[in-house]
Amino acid sequence: MATLAGWVGMAMLQGSSIPALLDSLSGSADLPPLSMACLTWSGLTLYLWNAINQRNTLYIVGNCIGLTLNSIIIGLLLLSVITIGSINSSVIPLL
């Protein structure tokens, strides 16, 4: 039962970011700051490394999904920088 709870929890956690990502793709939601997206991506990468080392399938799958979704957000942020032509600190605050 605990294993099932882990998988359901991972699906709920990862699924909670999908509506915001879809809203961002349609232009009806603001993206997070680039610094936050990069720090999240870095943290997920380290978590994935640890999960692979421990051979924890649940965390490996969850971190891969999180990295994929976060990579899309970083791509959208970088695309907005290219589209705007310069970094606008009100749109993409840096560290």
Side-chain angles (χ1 to χ4, degrees):
M1 192 64 164
T3 302
L4 176 62
W7 284 99
V8 170
M10 185 270 300
M12 291 172 67
L13 180 64
Q14 297 299 343
S16 69
S17 61
I18 292 174
L21 182 60
L22 293 175
D23 286 345
S24 297
L25 288 170
S26 69
S28 62
D30 293 330
L31 293 169
L34 182 58
S35 59
M36 187 172 93
C38 288
L39 286 171
T40 302
W41 189 90
S42 299
L44 285 167
T45 300
L46 294 174
Y47 278 151
L48 178 60
W49 183 10
N50 184 26
I52 291 170
N53 185 51
Q54 294 179 355
R55 292 179 173 84
N56 187 326
T57 305
L58 174 62
Y59 283 9
I60 291 170
V61 171
N63 289 325
C64 286
I65 293 169
L67 280 167
T68 300
L69 295 174
N70 206 55
S71 295
I72 292 169
I73 290 172
I74 291 173
L76 291 171
L77 287 166
L78 294 175
L79 183 63
S80 70
V81 169
I82 293 169
T83 303
I84 294 171
S86 66
I87 296 176
N88 182 344
S89 61
S90 66
V91 175
I92 306 173
L94 300 175
L95 291 173

